[in-house]
Amino acid sequence: MHEYGHAAAWLPVPDLITGILAASASPSSALEPVEAFVRSKRSFSDSPTGGYEPGRVDCPADRPRIRTASALSPNETAWLRLRRNNTIDPMRQFLARMNITDFDAASYIDRHRNNASALPNVAIAASGGGYRALFNGGGAISAFDSRTPGSTDSGHLGGLLQLSTYLAGLSGGGWLVGTIFINNFTTIRQLQEGSSGGSYWDFSRSIFEGPDTRGLSVINTIDYFSDIQRAVQSKSDAGFNTSITDYWGRGLSYQLLNSSNGGPGITWSSISQGSDFLSGQTPLPILVADGRAPNELLIPSNTTVFEFTPWEFGSFDPTTYGFAPLRYLGSNFSGGVLPNDQACIRGFDNAGFVMGTSSSLFNQFLLNINNTSVPSAFKGIINGVLENLNESNNDIADYRPNPFYHYNNESNLSAGSKSLTVVDGGEDLQNIPLHPLIQSPRGVDVIFAVDSSADTHNNWPNGTALVATYDRSSHAIQNGTVFPAIPDQNTFVNLGLNTRPTFFGCDSRNQTGPSPLLVYLPNSPYIYHSNVSTIDSSYTARERDAIIVNGYNVVTMANATQDAQWPACVGCAIISRSLERTGTQVPSICRSCFQRYCWDGTRNSTRPAPYNPTFKSTEVKVTSWASKIDFPLWAISVMIASIWMTSANL
């Protein structure tokens, strides 16, 4: 395979018709072979049973207990000392490349490298939105990852991932975070290419059909569903409640994890035992879900937002205000302790179940199972599960025993229930996982918020997720956290804030307390209509890669062809709060960037016309080319690159 393309136009990924790739800054440069990637590894099985069902283990001498949310965990605190120091050199290299004129980035970093807390603390948040969010967010992560070939060229943003402390996701964005970390912090490119046995991200067969036979032990759809059923039944036989999310999570695992039979013994907490993570070489992955009592209607002002880190599950909200040790979920905690007559349980935090919890809204896929070609026996299983759930409760994940049983009885709405029911992190409209990143103990300076939401009639974002988080910030449940002012959705559309990057909270003097600057990166059509339906369940490799390429272009503004100063403006957003802390003068180019990209408070709340965005660059018609033109795939890549070169020179 070869890489083709013009660096001002394309993301280096292996297969958008099999490859639309950035090769160099010069359109006439020679074609170079792609460096081979090593096959990605994965997190190991940490379930004591080796399967999906949790099992009993000997308790550690210091028995697991629930801790208060008044501070970060000792694990995260110790890990941060490693991670923050490990971001210094990538940050120095990144900022030096961003061409922030009148600012010596290297000298600034060197001057403060012995005090990492003075330097920027960066986070990335990937929104929900099903497979659209998985691919669009994947394009963003590929653009931010210095391991992506060409991503550190002029106009690109490679290295932002390496300098980040946190990477949060929910729903489809949670699948993205999970598939990267469970597969050993692999690259998006590796997920696309896979190995000689095929791509890890093969979505040509829907979750209703199961994977093909390459590298997996299942043989056909019947075996696939039988295997899922046996796994979930094993959990039930072990004495644990199951819900439709168990089935959904098992299906996701086949699609997202590089492991035979979807890695039934792989847990979310096993991420904490990986060598790269332990040494602070990667960001901290966080998934988000919402607590919901049976029959409760979620609204942003009353939702308890839960988070999963590799160490813990819990919430900073004043309702629960506590964290359970993730590795020992399934243990029968009561009043914040594990009684001496209760066994320690491990394996409850199955990675697919955790990802399924954060995306339980997609249980709707299974709710429509009777309209699919799924084997009749499995339809009966799912329908049997649904018979025990009323319509308002079919989206839950059942965490029984409730780790917060009789914990904070005065404020915890679920304290009296043996089960904690948890749902999709976007059901409260906060479809970007900002909640963990605005908690003051984490001290995040800037959040790059990738929004793949389907807010408009044709599946583009309109700022609803930001509006929901801002609305929540005025209620007591926000517990003192601060969020910048956000306009209404009509203003987003009328002012075009949902078509381009926008900064919120630029002037910290206007905030009521410390809060991060927010860089909003909404999905928008650059080269492909990436506004696919949230419930579309299968994609060709060409469709997948087209959305990934489009996502790369969204966050890089087509590799700075839309604004030559965009990389510098990204750098300015990163250093803004740090400059304030160190009393450093803001460079003139940063002041110009902030005038251009910071929301200035203008509102236009009149009802906008229907939002139908046009392409910012040359459209790629993947389906028509793939079906009507029988050219070799490398030839199609060259043709696409030629179009880009022509348009770039117009």
Side-chain angles (χ1 to χ4, degrees):
M1 185 184 300
H2 290 78
E3 296 190 47
Y4 309 95
H6 185 270
W10 285 104
L11 150 69
V13 297
D15 192 313
L16 166 64
I17 314 280
T18 190
I20 302 171
L21 304 164
S24 74
S26 171
S28 60
S29 56
L31 305 179
E32 298 292 339
V34 180
E35 181 180 354
F37 274 67
V38 178
R39 179 180 174 88
S40 70
K41 300 178 182 179
R42 62 178 183 273
S43 296
F44 57 87
S45 176
D46 193 41
S47 172
T49 65
Y52 185 67
E53 71 277 15
R56 294 189 176 197
V57 296
D58 292 335
C59 290
D62 186 9
R63 291 177 69 82
R65 59 185 302 120
I66 310 302
R67 73 166 185 90
T68 180
S70 59
L72 298 180
S73 71
N75 283 326
E76 185 171 346
T77 300
W79 177 88
L80 279 170
R81 287 194 289 268
L82 297 173
R83 181 57 187 165
R84 290 301 306 277
N85 283 322
N86 286 340
T87 64
I88 292 174
D89 286 334
M91 189 177 301
R92 185 182 191 275
Q93 296 163 11
F94 179 88
L95 293 174
R97 290 200 319 271
M98 293 304 100
N99 194 29
I100 305 174
T101 54
D102 300 324
F103 179 71
D104 188 341
S107 295
Y108 181 79
I109 298 297
D110 290 341
R111 193 160 56 249
H112 298 287
R113 68 165 50 244
N114 292 329
N115 180 17
S117 63
L119 295 174
N121 189 11
V122 181
I124 302 169
S127 83
Y131 295 96
R132 179 187 62 252
L134 176 67
F135 303 148
N136 182 63
I141 295 300
S142 190
F144 295 156
D145 191 345
S146 62
R147 298 171 296 177
T148 303
S151 67
T152 58
D153 291 347
S154 176
H156 296 250
L157 299 178
L160 199 155
L161 178 63
Q162 280 68 29
L163 63 82
S164 294
T165 306
Y166 297 100
L167 176 58
L170 67 78
S171 200
W175 307 346
L176 173 65
V177 174
T179 193
I180 290 171
F181 277 87
I182 296 297
N183 292 312
N184 199 33
F185 197 61
T186 191
T187 66
I188 300 303
R189 176 172 181 150
Q190 178 69 10
L191 291 166
Q192 291 171 272
E193 283 191 331
S195 65
S196 58
S199 167
Y200 304 148
W201 272 9
D202 183 357
F203 303 101
S204 59
R205 292 165 60 93
S206 80
I207 201 167
F208 292 121
E209 299 173 280
D212 63 23
T213 59
R214 291 175 298 177
L216 298 169
S217 60
V218 295
I219 299 174
N220 54 39
T221 298
I222 294 177
D223 287 345
Y224 164 69
F225 281 109
S226 296
D227 187 74
I228 290 176
Q229 191 276 329
R230 284 193 298 269
V232 177
Q233 185 62 46
S234 72
K235 181 178 177 180
S236 178
D237 291 344
F240 296 91
N241 281 20
T242 60
S243 63
I244 194 172
T245 302
D246 287 278
Y247 295 92
W248 173 241
R250 293 304 304 131
L252 283 176
S253 295
Y254 277 93
Q255 291 193 316
L256 300 175
L257 307 186
N258 170 32
S259 179
S260 297
N261 293 337
I266 296 176
T267 60
W268 190 259
S269 58
S270 68
I271 295 172
S272 68
Q273 301 172 59
S275 58
D276 285 347
F277 179 80
L278 278 171
S279 59
Q281 298 298 320
T282 75
L284 174 63
I286 305 176
L287 296 195
V288 170
D290 291 339
R292 196 191 74 181
N295 302 313
E296 180 186 20
L297 176 64
L298 286 181
I299 56 174
S301 62
N302 75 352
T303 305
T304 297
V305 178
F306 287 92
E307 64 175 54
F308 297 85
T309 72
W311 304 293
E312 293 186 313
F313 166 68
S315 179
F316 284 100
D317 288 346
T319 46
T320 301
Y321 202 61
F323 286 90
L326 184 65
R327 200 179 191 205
Y328 292 101
L329 280 188
S331 304
N332 200 10
F333 293 95
S334 180
V337 300
L338 184 62
N340 290 330
D341 62 348
Q342 295 295 317
C344 284
I345 302 295
R346 283 212 337 252
F348 191 97
D349 64 312
N350 173 270
F353 183 62
V354 170
M355 289 189 286
T357 299
S358 183
S359 62
S360 62
L361 184 62
F362 290 87
N363 290 337
Q364 299 299 322
F365 278 128
L366 296 183
L367 300 181
N368 294 320
I369 199 169
N370 289 326
N371 299 322
T372 71
S373 58
V374 167
S376 58
F378 193 77
K379 288 180 181 178
I381 293 169
I382 294 299
N383 288 327
V385 173
L386 294 178
E387 286 177 2
N388 296 319
L389 297 169
N390 62 40
E391 186 174 349
S392 63
N393 290 328
N394 55 28
D395 58 345
I396 67 164
D398 191 351
Y399 282 68
R400 183 185 180 99
N402 176 8
F404 304 105
Y405 182 63
H406 285 322
Y407 183 78
N408 284 347
N409 290 322
E410 297 79 11
S411 58
N412 181 3
L413 298 178
S414 298
S417 174
K418 290 284 189 178
S419 287
L420 175 65
T421 51
V422 186
V423 298
D424 189 299
E427 284 201 29
D428 62 355
L429 300 182
Q430 294 187 92
N431 200 39
I432 304 175
L434 299 170
H435 183 272
L437 307 177
I438 60 175
Q439 300 304 314
S440 56
R442 289 196 165 117
V444 172
D445 290 321
V446 58
I447 304 171
F448 289 85
V450 181
D451 192 1
S452 308
S453 302
D455 301 326
T456 69
H457 72 285
N458 52 2
N459 301 327
W460 298 108
N462 68 1
T464 292
L466 299 189
V467 173
T469 301
Y470 175 59
D471 287 347
R472 191 178 194 268
S473 69
S474 64
H475 295 271
I477 197 166
Q478 195 66 349
N479 205 24
T481 56
V482 179
F483 196 73
I486 302 293
D488 60 275
Q489 292 94 324
N490 287 351
T491 294
F492 266 87
V493 176
N494 287 327
L495 300 186
L497 305 182
N498 65 329
T499 68
R500 58 177 177 80
T502 303
F503 299 172
F504 295 96
C506 292
D507 190 346
S508 64
R509 294 171 300 182
N510 292 334
Q511 310 301 316
T512 58
S515 67
L517 187 154
L518 184 66
V519 178
Y520 180 59
L521 300 167
N523 184 24
S524 187
Y526 274 74
I527 54 92
Y528 188 70
H529 280 303
S530 54
N531 58 327
V532 294
S533 172
T534 304
I535 61 172
D536 283 352
S537 59
S538 63
Y539 296 84
T540 67
R542 294 175 174 88
E543 293 169 324
R544 174 199 70 190
D545 293 343
I547 300 173
I548 291 173
V549 172
N550 193 82
Y552 191 106
N553 279 280
V554 165
V555 300
T556 63
M557 297 194 74
N559 305 333
T561 59
Q562 299 286 309
D563 179 358
Q565 291 186 338
W566 173 238
C569 293
V570 169
C572 290
I574 289 173
I575 64 175
S576 177
R577 296 292 195 260
S578 176
L579 295 179
E580 292 178 4
R581 283 196 298 273
T582 59
T584 304
Q585 183 176 354
V586 178
S588 59
I589 191 173
C590 292
R591 291 195 295 271
S592 175
C593 286
F594 295 151
Q595 289 176 356
R596 188 152 71 253
Y597 288 103
C598 291
W599 178 56
D600 62 2
T602 300
R603 297 176 185 267
N604 180 353
S605 301
T606 60
R607 184 175 181 177
Y611 178 62
N612 295 297
T614 58
F615 288 104
K616 296 179 182 294
S617 302
T618 305
E619 177 186 7
V620 171
K621 296 181 179 180
V622 169
T623 303
S624 61
W625 284 25
S627 61
K628 297 180 181 179
I629 302 179
D630 189 21
F631 287 133
L633 296 180
W634 67 264
I636 296 176
S637 298
V638 173
M639 294 165 62
I640 296 173
S642 297
I643 292 174
W644 268 102
M645 294 176 191
T646 301
S647 64
N649 291 326
L650 290 178

